[in-house]
Amino acid sequence: MNKQQPIGVLDSGVGGLSVLKCLHQLLPHEDFIYVGDTARTPYGTRTEKEIRGFVGEIIDWLAAQSVKQIVIACNTLTMLGVDSLRGEHEFSVVGMSKGEELLLQASKKKKIGVIATQFTIGTEAHKRALLAADPAAEVYPLACPRFVPLIEGEQFDSAELQDAIAEYAAPLRKAGVDALLLGCTHFPFIREQLEAELGAGVKVIDPAAATSAKAIAELEAEGLLRTEGAGRVDVCCTADLARVERLAARMLPAQDCSFRLIELSKK
Ligand code: DGL
């Protein structure tokens, strides 16, 4: 492998663009290839077998593009275990940070909320990580299945999104959480609305920066970090190209990006 190869970033849909935003800012010299499986999103309400099949196809497609690393910009997929996703591939595979250190720093009351997909919440991985770091913490995990379809559907100003936010904020408020993890990479798209509903007393934590730091450390250790040239971002999706372009504009500078529709079976 060499420094010139691109970094692969993947998600079930547009959510991972929130992680790509951070990666592109921190690594302006790197080329990125992003894959969002917009034809089959959301993944978070599906079975493990189904999800494993889909992510296997994306990883094989990215491997055929000669990536030097893959960042799993999806919490649901990270729950499957990065080692099992990496398989026999040579490149490193980096999953989403669970953000437990950031959450414990941010929370005075040690009452911490985690919002994510049904699949992610079902694994209890965030709760375990937080309790391992601080057994006295009180953790309130909450599946929010209404959010991903609304975000994919660009329903940012809709009454339905406002209603979903109010529905999910109520139990978090009742529990008295003062820190909240965005445990799904789609959720930074509605961060402002969530913060407005929860109020200034709740610190909202996005694990994208901690995830990017893991990816950078891995590349550095392998001597694969690029230090010159202007990096490009190649955004690929499996459906709805125009929609993906509009959503990407919320996260990435348009002048650095190109967009295309791909078929995962055609490498
Ligand atoms: N963005 C994803 C995550 O971080 C998955 C959303 C979905 O497909 O349900 O979990």
Side-chain angles (χ1 to χ4, degrees):
M1 277 188 295
N2 68 69
K3 291 180 183 182
Q4 303 311 318
Q5 290 169 258
I7 298 170
V9 181
L10 65 84
D11 181 43
S12 66
V14 298
L17 294 169
S18 66
V19 181
L20 182 55
K21 171 187 178 178
C22 190
L23 284 163
H24 180 53
Q25 278 170 355
L26 293 170
L27 297 171
H29 307 297
E30 298 288 348
D31 287 332
F32 292 95
I33 305 186
Y34 180 86
V35 175
D37 191 4
T38 40
R40 299 186 292 199
T41 194
Y43 284 3
T45 44
R46 297 176 187 269
T47 63
E48 175 166 348
K49 189 167 177 247
E50 218 174 355
I51 300 172
R52 273 196 191 277
F54 294 167
V55 68
E57 286 176 27
I58 302 175
I59 289 176
D60 287 349
W61 188 88
L62 282 169
Q65 319 303 309
S66 298
V67 292
K68 62 181 175 185
Q69 177 179 70
I70 289 182
V71 179
I72 308 289
C74 174
N75 293 269
T76 303
L77 293 171
T78 299
M79 297 303 118
L80 303 176
V82 286
D83 289 338
S84 74
L85 295 179
R86 181 181 182 186
E88 300 299 309
H89 293 296
E90 252 188 63
F91 46 72
S92 56
V93 175
V94 176
M96 290 302 296
S97 157
K98 295 191 190 69
E100 63 271 32
E101 282 160 27
L102 293 170
L103 287 161
L104 288 166
Q105 271 163 27
S107 172
K108 284 206 180 77
K109 298 196 284 181
K110 303 298 170 221
K111 289 182 184 231
I112 296 168
V114 176
I115 54 172
T117 64
Q118 262 163 356
F119 189 91
T120 300
I121 295 298
T123 66
E124 297 194 339
H126 292 86
K127 187 173 180 174
R128 274 199 307 277
L130 276 159
L131 291 178
D134 183 349
E138 287 174 46
V139 188
Y140 298 91
L142 182 68
C144 302
R146 293 176 70 189
F147 283 157
V148 171
L150 289 168
I151 293 164
E152 288 283 339
E154 303 174 272
Q155 298 296 305
F156 298 106
D157 301 316
S158 69
E160 211 186 325
L161 178 65
Q162 211 37 60
D163 183 68
I165 289 175
E167 178 192 329
Y168 297 139
L172 297 168
R173 205 177 283 123
K174 195 161 167 223
V177 304
D178 65 352
L180 177 69
L181 183 80
L182 302 180
C184 169
T185 56
H186 280 75
F187 298 174
F189 279 86
I190 55 166
R191 180 182 183 140
E192 279 174 24
Q193 292 97 313
L194 284 166
E195 284 176 335
E197 176 75 23
L198 291 165
V202 181
K203 291 204 179 107
V204 173
I205 305 292
D206 177 355
T211 303
S212 303
K214 284 202 292 175
I216 293 169
E218 192 78 47
L219 288 172
E220 235 163 15
E222 293 169 343
L224 290 175
L225 261 189
R226 245 167 101 167
T227 50
E228 51 194 11
R232 296 285 310 160
V233 180
D234 180 12
V235 178
C236 305
C237 60
T238 52
D240 301 337
L241 191 58
R243 178 172 68 80
V244 172
E245 282 192 47
R246 286 193 301 274
L247 285 159
R250 291 175 177 260
M251 292 290 163
L252 295 164
Q255 71 273 13
D256 297 348
C257 303
S258 54
F259 294 87
R260 60 191 166 117
L261 207 53
I262 57 163
E263 278 180 50
L264 293 172
S265 55
K266 288 193 190 149
K267 297 172 193 99

